[in-house]
Amino acid sequence: MKPLTSFVFIISLLQSLLVHGSGRYHHQTSSNNILEDSSSIFPSDFLFGTASSAYQYEGAFSTDGKSLNNWDVFTHENPGKILDENNGDIAVDQYHRFMEDIQSMNFLGVNSYRFSISWSRVLPRGRFGEINYSGIKYYNILIDALISRGIKPFVTLNHFDYPHELENRFQSWLEPEMQIEFGYLADLCFKHFGNRVKYWTTLNEPNQQVILGYVTGLFPPSRCSSPYGNCTRGNSENEPFIAAHNMILAHAKAVNIYQTKYQKEQKGSIGIVVQTSWFEPISDSNADKEAAERAQSFYSNWILDPAIYGKYPKEMVNILGAALPQFSSNEVKNLKNSRADFIGVNHYTSYFIQDCLISTCNTGNGAYKAEGFALKLDRKGNVSIGELTDVVWQHIDPEGFHKMLNYLTDRYPNIPMFITENGFGDLQKPETTDKELLHDTKRIQYMSGYLEALQAAMRDGANVKGYFAWSLLDNFEWLYGYKLRFGLFHVDYTTLKRTPKQSASWYKNFIEDHVNRRGSAC
Ligand SMILES: *[C@@H]1O[C@H](CO)[C@@H](O)[C@H](O)[C@H]1NC(C)=O
Ligand SMILES: *[C@@H]1O[C@H](CO)[C@@H](O)[C@H](O)[C@H]1NC(C)=O
Ligand SMILES: *[C@@H]1O[C@H](CO)[C@@H](O)[C@H](O)[C@H]1NC(C)=O
């Protein structure tokens, strides 16, 4: 270690102890680590980045030929379903402000940026219309600007938004035709951007998208049945499984196109992103332990088992019977032949799980058949799972993240993983001041705990290749509108001015510290 490096290291070490010395999880693990080995566990090609998505960031909802997508229509027709009755028409206007945002990334010292392609910008009518080259041009300029400033694009082909015409014409994900549409989008993106994009993911969180769109009906296309939700159409006990089936096959189709047509020349890799939560059995009973396993199977394994092994988890087969579509022998072969190169792991929270298959539960999140009869709870008596927050689903439990990564490593041995999202949301209340939002010590506590847990999992053998904080900026957080802020940078929604929060400096120091501790990398 060069003298300068060790000086910087000691300074940032002191800073990090000052900033998050009170974090219980951090304290336990880091003190040993520092005494025994000061070199960073993160290899020199590790990606540190921030994540975003088109609808939540771009705005410019009808600019340069972009058509309306499912989220444009949903938010325009049902403002009451969004906490602040707002929408992504402007969002954080990244479509026009991406150069400034790249400067913010350079401030952080990240080497990658995760963003998604707006389907209705490049193919306003899917395959029913022409390619829009204004959309292609936007992403070309964005990609070039990132690369010229040392930031590797990490591109999601689709993050929840699709041209509304595909919903109107054939009900989108409920029909196999959507697989062909998605393959067409994927091919177009590989063709135009693949010479510079080396990291692709197909779909963002099919599990979460399907649960919200077809089980509870809270997201478009607002389809569900009672008692899962209150919709005018849909069937919560079979449509989610059809939609997910089409998403899994669409994913495999895109991977197949990449691997057979582009990968050899473009030399990138391709994966899929799932939402994960750690599910802790609420008791030592076998029933609760099996329920926790079922909860995993009805969530991330639902998507990953087919993508990796070409079959659904046995817990889903057993409970759902005929409601779970089957893969034909040809599809099984295709799934296995087009195995993802890596998995993208989004992770925010943990729950206790209580069995509802053998025992009877009251109603609640997870209690029903389509959810695997595994009730999700945030408390066991007076003990909460991690620290509860203002956001009902976010419980701060870094140890759960550690367990989740070990679980994925056991289930999919050696598979490379990227943490494609992890972060903390501040729910803005009427009395919240900008000063409080900028002085975001809770976010720093959260990130330092989860990044310690990540390192612990890597020491245990998890093959993790990158970490993306959700999110670079405050942005349109779906049903929470602009009231739930996940940014390392604060956005003033009247001026769209970006201001670094304390967490931005914390993340910058964290990355700098690890780059310095690599020794040779600087
Ligand atoms: C593409 O966008 C331009 C505006 O930049 C618009 O004039 C044109 O009609 C669009 N083309 C297609 C095929 O959507
Ligand atoms: C269900 O939705 C309808 C229409 O949006 C509304 O009038 C009704 O009160 C809702 N019912 C429940 C139980 O929430
Ligand atoms: C939780 O409940 C148990 C038993 O009812 C009690 O002994 C314990 O002090 C309680 N803990 C807290 C933190 O309230």
Side-chain angles (χ1 to χ4, degrees):
M1 201 182 266
K2 286 176 281 181
L4 180 64
T5 313
S6 55
F7 175 72
V8 172
F9 165 60
I10 287 163
I11 295 296
S12 46
L13 176 65
L14 287 174
Q15 278 173 341
S16 67
L17 287 176
L18 282 174
V19 173
H20 48 68
S22 59
R24 182 182 61 85
Y25 190 83
H26 179 85
H27 225 71
Q28 279 178 349
T29 51
S30 69
S31 46
N32 299 337
N33 169 27
I34 285 159
L35 292 178
E36 284 163 15
D37 181 7
S38 66
S39 70
S40 171
I41 182 109
F42 300 113
S44 61
D45 58 355
F46 194 85
L47 299 185
F48 279 113
T50 60
S52 70
S53 92
Y55 187 73
Q56 296 175 276
Y57 267 66
E58 285 180 5
F61 82 109
S62 67
T63 304
D64 292 341
K66 179 185 160 295
S67 71
L68 295 185
N69 63 36
N70 54 335
W71 272 90
D72 293 316
V73 173
F74 174 74
T75 54
H76 293 168
E77 288 182 357
N78 311 280
K81 293 194 177 180
I82 309 297
L83 188 61
D84 57 2
E85 306 202 347
N86 222 314
N87 55 54
D89 288 4
I90 300 170
V92 292
D93 195 33
Q94 187 164 74
Y95 192 75
H96 298 111
R97 295 169 196 251
F98 63 90
M99 286 307 296
E100 182 188 346
D101 293 340
I102 293 173
Q103 280 173 18
S104 300
M105 294 175 214
N106 282 154
F107 168 84
L108 295 174
V110 291
N111 59 1
S112 190
Y113 182 52
R114 177 174 180 240
F115 64 93
S116 77
I117 305 290
S118 165
W119 195 334
S120 52
R121 209 178 277 295
V122 293
L123 289 170
R125 306 185 57 204
R127 290 186 309 139
F128 297 102
E130 303 290 310
I131 298 164
N132 196 311
Y133 286 95
S134 311
I136 302 283
K137 186 174 164 198
Y138 168 68
Y139 293 108
N140 271 330
I141 294 173
L142 173 63
I143 288 165
D144 288 344
L146 287 164
I147 291 173
S148 73
R149 283 155 188 84
I151 296 169
K152 297 179 174 72
F154 192 104
V155 179
T156 311
L157 289 168
N158 183 234
H159 194 125
F160 297 175
D161 58 313
Y162 49 81
H164 193 64
E165 184 163 346
L166 306 183
E167 190 64 42
N168 280 344
R169 282 197 185 243
F170 61 86
Q171 298 197 310
S172 70
W173 291 112
L174 288 178
E175 288 300 323
E177 194 169 346
M178 195 68 161
Q179 298 171 31
I180 303 168
E181 290 286 345
F182 184 69
Y184 187 75
L185 169 73
D187 200 328
L188 178 78
C189 292
F190 302 145
K191 181 172 168 209
H192 287 278
F193 312 131
N195 59 341
R196 289 154 294 153
V197 173
K198 301 304 162 196
Y199 302 93
W200 293 102
T201 63
T202 53
L203 292 159
N204 179 69
E205 299 179 1
N207 53 342
Q208 192 69 358
Q209 188 181 352
V210 160
I211 289 168
L212 290 163
Y214 301 88
V215 179
T216 61
L218 295 170
F219 273 23
S222 311
R223 300 183 65 91
C224 68
S225 54
S226 177
Y228 298 85
N230 180 16
C231 305
T232 53
R233 66 238 143 114
N235 179 341
S236 299
E237 292 198 345
N238 73 24
E239 287 186 357
F241 307 105
I242 296 168
H245 196 73
N246 285 319
M247 288 181 183
I248 291 160
L249 291 170
H251 151 80
K253 182 181 272 301
V255 172
N256 181 262
I257 292 168
Y258 189 64
Q259 292 179 340
T260 57
K261 241 174 118 175
Y262 296 99
Q263 193 167 36
K264 195 158 172 245
E265 190 190 330
Q266 297 183 347
K267 298 185 173 61
S269 58
I270 186 162
I272 186 167
V273 175
V274 292
Q275 178 64 259
T276 67
S277 297
W278 178 247
F279 298 127
E280 185 74 27
I282 199 160
S283 82
D284 282 339
S285 75
N286 283 337
D288 287 333
K289 286 184 193 161
E290 283 166 20
E293 189 59 28
R294 278 203 306 282
Q296 289 296 0
S297 284
F298 276 74
Y299 205 42
S300 45
N301 303 347
W302 176 8
I303 308 300
L304 293 177
D305 278 16
I308 308 290
Y309 298 127
K311 61 177 189 196
Y312 284 115
K314 63 178 190 303
E315 291 85 356
M316 295 190 87
V317 177
N318 291 344
I319 286 184
L320 296 169
L324 188 67
Q326 293 193 336
F327 296 113
S328 70
S329 56
N330 218 16
E331 287 168 344
V332 171
K333 209 170 78 199
N334 290 344
L335 283 165
K336 288 184 178 167
N337 283 344
S338 40
R339 191 184 137 129
D341 298 321
F342 64 84
I343 58 182
V345 178
N346 290 358
H347 188 91
Y348 293 89
T349 197
S350 301
Y351 291 92
F352 285 122
I353 297 291
Q354 182 182 326
D355 167 66
C356 302
L357 181 62
I358 297 164
S359 332
T360 340
C361 298
N362 293 328
T363 57
N365 181 10
Y368 304 115
K369 181 178 176 182
E371 304 163 313
F373 297 119
L375 183 64
K376 299 187 175 84
L377 296 166
D378 57 18
R379 288 163 204 270
K380 165 164 115 182
N382 59 5
V383 179
S384 61
I385 182 111
E387 182 184 337
L388 307 185
T389 71
D390 289 340
V391 180
V392 290
W393 53 262
Q394 183 144 41
H395 318 131
I396 308 180
D397 178 31
E399 185 53 29
F401 185 37
H402 183 176
K403 290 179 185 171
M404 188 74 227
L405 292 171
N406 287 356
Y407 179 90
L408 292 168
T409 301
D410 285 345
R411 198 172 183 95
Y412 313 107
N414 287 325
I415 189 118
M417 293 185 266
F418 289 90
I419 311 310
T420 33
E421 288 181 24
N422 173 245
F424 178 82
D426 278 310
L427 192 60
Q428 189 170 353
K429 289 167 274 185
E431 68 274 16
T432 311
T433 63
D434 279 353
K435 198 169 156 215
E436 285 165 346
L437 292 170
L438 291 168
H439 188 71
D440 55 342
T441 49
K442 260 289 172 251
R443 180 167 294 102
I444 293 170
Q445 181 203 322
Y446 180 95
M447 288 183 75
S448 84
Y450 277 75
L451 279 160
E452 279 298 336
L454 168 61
Q455 293 169 77
M458 288 172 73
R459 278 182 223 110
D460 291 346
N463 186 13
V464 181
K465 304 284 195 190
Y467 173 91
F468 294 83
W470 184 274
S471 186
L472 178 68
L473 310 174
D474 293 336
N475 63 82
F476 180 78
E477 185 52 41
W478 310 115
L479 301 182
Y480 291 91
Y482 298 101
K483 291 291 182 205
L484 183 52
R485 294 172 176 268
F486 275 92
L488 299 173
F489 284 72
H490 173 271
V491 175
D492 176 331
Y493 286 109
T494 51
T495 60
L496 292 174
K497 183 176 181 324
R498 286 88 156 116
T499 308
K501 301 181 189 176
Q502 207 173 320
S503 59
S505 300
W506 182 87
Y507 192 39
K508 171 191 171 71
N509 288 338
F510 181 91
I511 295 170
E512 210 168 66
D513 170 30
H514 283 277
V515 169
N516 289 335
R517 280 160 58 193
R518 271 175 210 143
S520 60
C522 52

